[in-house]
Amino acid sequence: MGLTKSEIFTEEQNRLSTLLKAMAHPARIAILQRILASNTCICGDLVEELGLAQPTISQHLKELKLAGIIQGTVEGVSICYCINPVTWKLLKDQLGIFFESYKGEVSCC
Amino acid sequence: MGLTKSEIFTEEQNRLSTLLKAMAHPARIAILQRILASNTCICGDLVEELGLAQPTISQHLKELKLAGIIQGTVEGVSICYCINPVTWKLLKDQLGIFFESYKGEVSCC
DNA sequence: ATTCTATATCGCAATATTACAATTAATATA
DNA sequence: TATATTAATTGTAATATTGCGATATAGAAT
């Protein structure tokens, strides 16, 4: 049916998977890396640097913004994007807990 | 076109996004949480506990296995799944670096 | 006001994902 | 061997994602 049954999962599971999905594309990873590298925000540069058409970049930015991972403000003619610190911390913490909770070595397989 | 242009991205970007995509579904988050909770592996239990049909669960397990996040071995009639420690560490470290690299507060937007 | 520049939006085609019923495969047990 | 039991596979319908050309929008500069 192509439609995720979100009703049967917890809020936490849905929230985390939504955030991961927003990051789960090489172009969006690249965009985030670019933002992380220059801390200061960018935008039109991405089109040249990534090698994807402008509408495609715009769409990826929209998805990241929709998920709350980045935020953008008008900066004259161009638009300045940067990390949304709140979501970033939330995701970082939640992933931290998630990955830390594996205490390997009890191995069964 | 519905087809990601992997050629234009780095190995690292593709690898990371593939792993994130494998995790980016509430059912697969739930499966991982279940495995993390009982360290020892499970399988048929998931069908009852998650409320998804058996083929659906099987498909999600296959995706996690394909990405290398979990591994499974035959255990009599049932199959035992558990975390793949190598990939787990790799993903944990890479995400750690990624999220740590944001030193907020320089704020621009 | 007109024009330029930078982004966003729309619409579409190609492909991918999600979910499941039906079936098959594989192993255990009677 | 026949029969459960468990999980994988196949096929299919519904929906989502990716990418881009064409177009629209908004602000700056002339």
Side-chain angles (χ1 to χ4, degrees), chain B residues 32-59:
Chain B
L32 289 174
Q33 285 176 331
R34 182 63 167 72
I35 295 184
L36 289 169
S38 24
N39 210 318
T40 172
C41 323
I42 357 121
C43 182
D45 306 340
L46 293 168
V47 177
E48 295 176 33
E49 292 174 26
L50 295 198
L52 285 172
Q54 180 267 320
T56 307
I57 297 289
S58 193
Q59 193 177 267

PDB file of all heavy atoms in Angstrom, chain B residues 32-59:
ATOM      1  N   LEU B  32      14.821  -2.711  15.999  1.00  0.00           N
ATOM      2  CA  LEU B  32      16.147  -2.506  16.607  1.00  0.00           C
ATOM      3  C   LEU B  32      16.023  -2.330  18.118  1.00  0.00           C
ATOM      4  O   LEU B  32      16.814  -2.892  18.881  1.00  0.00           O
ATOM      5  CB  LEU B  32      16.838  -1.307  15.961  1.00  0.00           C
ATOM      6  CG  LEU B  32      17.304  -1.519  14.515  1.00  0.00           C
ATOM      7  CD1 LEU B  32      17.850  -0.229  13.925  1.00  0.00           C
ATOM      8  CD2 LEU B  32      18.359  -2.619  14.440  1.00  0.00           C
ATOM      9  N   GLN B  33      15.032  -1.568  18.546  1.00  0.00           N
ATOM     10  CA  GLN B  33      14.841  -1.360  19.989  1.00  0.00           C
ATOM     11  C   GLN B  33      14.582  -2.695  20.680  1.00  0.00           C
ATOM     12  O   GLN B  33      15.090  -2.952  21.767  1.00  0.00           O
ATOM     13  CB  GLN B  33      13.669  -0.406  20.237  1.00  0.00           C
ATOM     14  CG  GLN B  33      14.002   1.038  19.936  1.00  0.00           C
ATOM     15  CD  GLN B  33      12.811   1.969  20.095  1.00  0.00           C
ATOM     16  OE1 GLN B  33      11.657   1.559  19.918  1.00  0.00           O
ATOM     17  NE2 GLN B  33      13.078   3.225  20.407  1.00  0.00           N
ATOM     18  N   ARG B  34      13.793  -3.520  20.011  1.00  0.00           N
ATOM     19  CA  ARG B  34      13.473  -4.831  20.575  1.00  0.00           C
ATOM     20  C   ARG B  34      14.739  -5.681  20.692  1.00  0.00           C
ATOM     21  O   ARG B  34      14.947  -6.348  21.711  1.00  0.00           O
ATOM     22  CB  ARG B  34      12.437  -5.515  19.676  1.00  0.00           C
ATOM     23  CG  ARG B  34      11.975  -6.858  20.140  1.00  0.00           C
ATOM     24  CD  ARG B  34      11.260  -6.765  21.477  1.00  0.00           C
ATOM     25  NE  ARG B  34      10.544  -7.997  21.768  1.00  0.00           N
ATOM     26  CZ  ARG B  34      11.100  -9.140  22.107  1.00  0.00           C
ATOM     27  NH1 ARG B  34      12.402  -9.223  22.207  1.00  0.00           N
ATOM     28  NH2 ARG B  34      10.376 -10.204  22.355  1.00  0.00           N
ATOM     29  N   ILE B  35      15.559  -5.647  19.667  1.00  0.00           N
ATOM     30  CA  ILE B  35      16.803  -6.413  19.709  1.00  0.00           C
ATOM     31  C   ILE B  35      17.728  -5.848  20.788  1.00  0.00           C
ATOM     32  O   ILE B  35      18.338  -6.587  21.550  1.00  0.00           O
ATOM     33  CB  ILE B  35      17.522  -6.400  18.340  1.00  0.00           C
ATOM     34  CG1 ILE B  35      16.665  -7.119  17.290  1.00  0.00           C
ATOM     35  CG2 ILE B  35      18.893  -7.061  18.439  1.00  0.00           C
ATOM     36  CD1 ILE B  35      17.321  -7.247  15.928  1.00  0.00           C
ATOM     37  N   LEU B  36      17.805  -4.529  20.874  1.00  0.00           N
ATOM     38  CA  LEU B  36      18.672  -3.901  21.868  1.00  0.00           C
ATOM     39  C   LEU B  36      18.219  -4.250  23.281  1.00  0.00           C
ATOM     40  O   LEU B  36      19.045  -4.457  24.168  1.00  0.00           O
ATOM     41  CB  LEU B  36      18.663  -2.379  21.689  1.00  0.00           C
ATOM     42  CG  LEU B  36      19.390  -1.850  20.453  1.00  0.00           C
ATOM     43  CD1 LEU B  36      19.077  -0.377  20.246  1.00  0.00           C
ATOM     44  CD2 LEU B  36      20.886  -2.078  20.571  1.00  0.00           C
ATOM     45  N   ALA B  37      16.906  -4.349  23.464  1.00  0.00           N
ATOM     46  CA  ALA B  37      16.373  -4.591  24.802  1.00  0.00           C
ATOM     47  C   ALA B  37      16.686  -6.005  25.284  1.00  0.00           C
ATOM     48  O   ALA B  37      17.017  -6.215  26.448  1.00  0.00           O
ATOM     49  CB  ALA B  37      14.865  -4.343  24.815  1.00  0.00           C
ATOM     50  N   SER B  38      16.577  -6.972  24.395  1.00  0.00           N
ATOM     51  CA  SER B  38      16.774  -8.348  24.855  1.00  0.00           C
ATOM     52  C   SER B  38      18.074  -8.945  24.333  1.00  0.00           C
ATOM     53  O   SER B  38      18.241 -10.157  24.362  1.00  0.00           O
ATOM     54  CB  SER B  38      15.580  -9.225  24.475  1.00  0.00           C
ATOM     55  OG  SER B  38      14.881  -8.723  23.373  1.00  0.00           O
ATOM     56  N   ASN B  39      18.929  -8.065  23.859  1.00  0.00           N
ATOM     57  CA  ASN B  39      20.235  -8.465  23.333  1.00  0.00           C
ATOM     58  C   ASN B  39      20.174  -9.795  22.584  1.00  0.00           C
ATOM     59  O   ASN B  39      20.597  -9.895  21.442  1.00  0.00           O
ATOM     60  CB  ASN B  39      21.276  -8.528  24.450  1.00  0.00           C
ATOM     61  CG  ASN B  39      22.649  -8.200  23.883  1.00  0.00           C
ATOM     62  OD1 ASN B  39      23.006  -8.654  22.815  1.00  0.00           O
ATOM     63  ND2 ASN B  39      23.407  -7.389  24.591  1.00  0.00           N
ATOM     64  N   THR B  40      19.668 -10.790  23.256  1.00  0.00           N
ATOM     65  CA  THR B  40      19.473 -12.054  22.597  1.00  0.00           C
ATOM     66  C   THR B  40      18.479 -11.844  21.450  1.00  0.00           C
ATOM     67  O   THR B  40      17.625 -10.971  21.514  1.00  0.00           O
ATOM     68  CB  THR B  40      18.944 -13.111  23.592  1.00  0.00           C
ATOM     69  OG1 THR B  40      18.591 -14.276  22.870  1.00  0.00           O
ATOM     70  CG2 THR B  40      17.729 -12.587  24.322  1.00  0.00           C
ATOM     71  N   CYS B  41      18.628 -12.615  20.426  1.00  0.00           N
ATOM     72  CA  CYS B  41      17.874 -12.377  19.197  1.00  0.00           C
ATOM     73  C   CYS B  41      16.449 -12.905  19.256  1.00  0.00           C
ATOM     74  O   CYS B  41      16.120 -13.730  20.081  1.00  0.00           O
ATOM     75  CB  CYS B  41      18.609 -13.015  18.034  1.00  0.00           C
ATOM     76  SG  CYS B  41      20.383 -12.882  18.207  1.00  0.00           S
ATOM     77  N   ILE B  42      15.622 -12.416  18.363  1.00  0.00           N
ATOM     78  CA  ILE B  42      14.216 -12.790  18.308  1.00  0.00           C
ATOM     79  C   ILE B  42      13.789 -12.954  16.855  1.00  0.00           C
ATOM     80  O   ILE B  42      14.596 -12.960  15.985  1.00  0.00           O
ATOM     81  CB  ILE B  42      13.312 -11.706  18.922  1.00  0.00           C
ATOM     82  CG1 ILE B  42      14.187 -10.574  19.475  1.00  0.00           C
ATOM     83  CG2 ILE B  42      12.359 -12.286  19.934  1.00  0.00           C
ATOM     84  CD1 ILE B  42      13.926  -9.286  18.894  1.00  0.00           C
ATOM     85  N   CYS B  43      12.548 -12.977  16.619  1.00  0.00           N
ATOM     86  CA  CYS B  43      12.035 -12.922  15.253  1.00  0.00           C
ATOM     87  C   CYS B  43      10.521 -13.036  15.189  1.00  0.00           C
ATOM     88  O   CYS B  43       9.846 -12.051  15.052  1.00  0.00           O
ATOM     89  CB  CYS B  43      12.682 -13.970  14.375  1.00  0.00           C
ATOM     90  SG  CYS B  43      12.089 -13.859  12.709  1.00  0.00           S
ATOM     91  N   GLY B  44       9.984 -14.255  15.286  1.00  0.00           N
ATOM     92  CA  GLY B  44       8.543 -14.441  15.163  1.00  0.00           C
ATOM     93  C   GLY B  44       7.789 -13.582  16.167  1.00  0.00           C
ATOM     94  O   GLY B  44       6.668 -13.150  15.916  1.00  0.00           O
ATOM     95  N   ASP B  45       8.426 -13.326  17.300  1.00  0.00           N
ATOM     96  CA  ASP B  45       7.826 -12.476  18.324  1.00  0.00           C
ATOM     97  C   ASP B  45       7.452 -11.123  17.762  1.00  0.00           C
ATOM     98  O   ASP B  45       6.425 -10.545  18.108  1.00  0.00           O
ATOM     99  CB  ASP B  45       8.818 -12.263  19.468  1.00  0.00           C
ATOM    100  CG  ASP B  45       9.338 -13.588  20.018  1.00  0.00           C
ATOM    101  OD1 ASP B  45       8.674 -14.616  19.792  1.00  0.00           O
ATOM    102  OD2 ASP B  45      10.390 -13.578  20.666  1.00  0.00           O
ATOM    103  N   LEU B  46       8.304 -10.615  16.887  1.00  0.00           N
ATOM    104  CA  LEU B  46       8.084  -9.286  16.315  1.00  0.00           C
ATOM    105  C   LEU B  46       6.732  -9.184  15.635  1.00  0.00           C
ATOM    106  O   LEU B  46       6.061  -8.151  15.717  1.00  0.00           O
ATOM    107  CB  LEU B  46       9.186  -8.968  15.304  1.00  0.00           C
ATOM    108  CG  LEU B  46      10.594  -8.784  15.863  1.00  0.00           C
ATOM    109  CD1 LEU B  46      11.602  -8.783  14.740  1.00  0.00           C
ATOM    110  CD2 LEU B  46      10.663  -7.500  16.665  1.00  0.00           C
ATOM    111  N   VAL B  47       6.347 -10.247  14.959  1.00  0.00           N
ATOM    112  CA  VAL B  47       5.069 -10.235  14.239  1.00  0.00           C
ATOM    113  C   VAL B  47       3.929  -9.939  15.202  1.00  0.00           C
ATOM    114  O   VAL B  47       3.104  -9.057  14.948  1.00  0.00           O
ATOM    115  CB  VAL B  47       4.832 -11.568  13.506  1.00  0.00           C
ATOM    116  CG1 VAL B  47       3.477 -11.572  12.819  1.00  0.00           C
ATOM    117  CG2 VAL B  47       5.937 -11.810  12.495  1.00  0.00           C
ATOM    118  N   GLU B  48       3.905 -10.660  16.331  1.00  0.00           N
ATOM    119  CA  GLU B  48       2.863 -10.419  17.329  1.00  0.00           C
ATOM    120  C   GLU B  48       2.987  -9.028  17.919  1.00  0.00           C
ATOM    121  O   GLU B  48       2.016  -8.281  18.002  1.00  0.00           O
ATOM    122  CB  GLU B  48       2.977 -11.408  18.483  1.00  0.00           C
ATOM    123  CG  GLU B  48       2.731 -12.866  18.111  1.00  0.00           C
ATOM    124  CD  GLU B  48       2.981 -13.766  19.322  1.00  0.00           C
ATOM    125  OE1 GLU B  48       2.710 -13.309  20.450  1.00  0.00           O
ATOM    126  OE2 GLU B  48       3.470 -14.900  19.133  1.00  0.00           O
ATOM    127  N   GLU B  49       4.193  -8.691  18.319  1.00  0.00           N
ATOM    128  CA  GLU B  49       4.399  -7.461  19.082  1.00  0.00           C
ATOM    129  C   GLU B  49       4.212  -6.185  18.274  1.00  0.00           C
ATOM    130  O   GLU B  49       3.750  -5.188  18.793  1.00  0.00           O
ATOM    131  CB  GLU B  49       5.790  -7.473  19.718  1.00  0.00           C
ATOM    132  CG  GLU B  49       5.910  -8.535  20.800  1.00  0.00           C
ATOM    133  CD  GLU B  49       7.320  -8.652  21.335  1.00  0.00           C
ATOM    134  OE1 GLU B  49       8.062  -7.659  21.274  1.00  0.00           O
ATOM    135  OE2 GLU B  49       7.684  -9.743  21.820  1.00  0.00           O
ATOM    136  N   LEU B  50       4.575  -6.223  17.025  1.00  0.00           N
ATOM    137  CA  LEU B  50       4.517  -4.985  16.249  1.00  0.00           C
ATOM    138  C   LEU B  50       3.183  -4.756  15.557  1.00  0.00           C
ATOM    139  O   LEU B  50       2.837  -3.635  15.214  1.00  0.00           O
ATOM    140  CB  LEU B  50       5.644  -4.944  15.205  1.00  0.00           C
ATOM    141  CG  LEU B  50       7.066  -4.891  15.738  1.00  0.00           C
ATOM    142  CD1 LEU B  50       8.007  -4.418  14.655  1.00  0.00           C
ATOM    143  CD2 LEU B  50       7.178  -3.967  16.931  1.00  0.00           C
ATOM    144  N   GLY B  51       2.441  -5.818  15.311  1.00  0.00           N
ATOM    145  CA  GLY B  51       1.152  -5.633  14.662  1.00  0.00           C
ATOM    146  C   GLY B  51       1.253  -5.422  13.168  1.00  0.00           C
ATOM    147  O   GLY B  51       0.420  -4.754  12.559  1.00  0.00           O
ATOM    148  N   LEU B  52       2.274  -5.985  12.572  1.00  0.00           N
ATOM    149  CA  LEU B  52       2.390  -5.960  11.108  1.00  0.00           C
ATOM    150  C   LEU B  52       2.391  -7.415  10.650  1.00  0.00           C
ATOM    151  O   LEU B  52       2.762  -8.312  11.405  1.00  0.00           O
ATOM    152  CB  LEU B  52       3.692  -5.280  10.677  1.00  0.00           C
ATOM    153  CG  LEU B  52       3.757  -3.761  10.786  1.00  0.00           C
ATOM    154  CD1 LEU B  52       5.161  -3.266  10.509  1.00  0.00           C
ATOM    155  CD2 LEU B  52       2.767  -3.107   9.817  1.00  0.00           C
ATOM    156  N   ALA B  53       1.999  -7.633   9.418  1.00  0.00           N
ATOM    157  CA  ALA B  53       1.928  -8.995   8.899  1.00  0.00           C
ATOM    158  C   ALA B  53       3.318  -9.612   8.801  1.00  0.00           C
ATOM    159  O   ALA B  53       4.315  -8.899   8.703  1.00  0.00           O
ATOM    160  CB  ALA B  53       1.250  -9.002   7.538  1.00  0.00           C
ATOM    161  N   GLN B  54       3.354 -10.933   8.817  1.00  0.00           N
ATOM    162  CA  GLN B  54       4.640 -11.645   8.800  1.00  0.00           C
ATOM    163  C   GLN B  54       5.497 -11.300   7.584  1.00  0.00           C
ATOM    164  O   GLN B  54       6.697 -11.064   7.738  1.00  0.00           O
ATOM    165  CB  GLN B  54       4.365 -13.160   8.911  1.00  0.00           C
ATOM    166  CG  GLN B  54       5.614 -14.011   8.916  1.00  0.00           C
ATOM    167  CD  GLN B  54       5.977 -14.467   7.508  1.00  0.00           C
ATOM    168  OE1 GLN B  54       5.101 -14.824   6.724  1.00  0.00           O
ATOM    169  NE2 GLN B  54       7.257 -14.460   7.186  1.00  0.00           N
ATOM    170  N   PRO B  55       4.943 -11.242   6.395  1.00  0.00           N
ATOM    171  CA  PRO B  55       5.798 -10.881   5.258  1.00  0.00           C
ATOM    172  C   PRO B  55       6.365  -9.470   5.381  1.00  0.00           C
ATOM    173  O   PRO B  55       7.485  -9.207   4.917  1.00  0.00           O
ATOM    174  CB  PRO B  55       4.858 -10.982   4.056  1.00  0.00           C
ATOM    175  CG  PRO B  55       3.781 -11.906   4.484  1.00  0.00           C
ATOM    176  CD  PRO B  55       3.591 -11.631   5.936  1.00  0.00           C
ATOM    177  N   THR B  56       5.622  -8.606   5.993  1.00  0.00           N
ATOM    178  CA  THR B  56       6.082  -7.228   6.158  1.00  0.00           C
ATOM    179  C   THR B  56       7.276  -7.176   7.107  1.00  0.00           C
ATOM    180  O   THR B  56       8.291  -6.526   6.825  1.00  0.00           O
ATOM    181  CB  THR B  56       4.944  -6.339   6.684  1.00  0.00           C
ATOM    182  OG1 THR B  56       3.823  -6.497   5.825  1.00  0.00           O
ATOM    183  CG2 THR B  56       5.353  -4.888   6.710  1.00  0.00           C
ATOM    184  N   ILE B  57       7.155  -7.876   8.224  1.00  0.00           N
ATOM    185  CA  ILE B  57       8.261  -7.937   9.181  1.00  0.00           C
ATOM    186  C   ILE B  57       9.487  -8.560   8.521  1.00  0.00           C
ATOM    187  O   ILE B  57      10.611  -8.050   8.629  1.00  0.00           O
ATOM    188  CB  ILE B  57       7.873  -8.779  10.414  1.00  0.00           C
ATOM    189  CG1 ILE B  57       6.701  -8.147  11.167  1.00  0.00           C
ATOM    190  CG2 ILE B  57       9.072  -8.969  11.335  1.00  0.00           C
ATOM    191  CD1 ILE B  57       7.032  -6.896  11.907  1.00  0.00           C
ATOM    192  N   SER B  58       9.244  -9.630   7.805  1.00  0.00           N
ATOM    193  CA  SER B  58      10.337 -10.335   7.140  1.00  0.00           C
ATOM    194  C   SER B  58      11.065  -9.395   6.177  1.00  0.00           C
ATOM    195  O   SER B  58      12.292  -9.437   6.063  1.00  0.00           O
ATOM    196  CB  SER B  58       9.768 -11.534   6.391  1.00  0.00           C
ATOM    197  OG  SER B  58      10.778 -12.409   5.987  1.00  0.00           O
ATOM    198  N   GLN B  59      10.309  -8.582   5.509  1.00  0.00           N
ATOM    199  CA  GLN B  59      10.888  -7.635   4.558  1.00  0.00           C
ATOM    200  C   GLN B  59      11.723  -6.572   5.265  1.00  0.00           C
ATOM    201  O   GLN B  59      12.810  -6.220   4.803  1.00  0.00           O
ATOM    202  CB  GLN B  59       9.751  -6.984   3.793  1.00  0.00           C
ATOM    203  CG  GLN B  59      10.153  -6.220   2.569  1.00  0.00           C
ATOM    204  CD  GLN B  59       8.920  -5.674   1.860  1.00  0.00           C
ATOM    205  OE1 GLN B  59       8.372  -6.292   0.964  1.00  0.00           O
ATOM    206  NE2 GLN B  59       8.453  -4.519   2.297  1.00  0.00           N
TER     207      GLN B  59
END
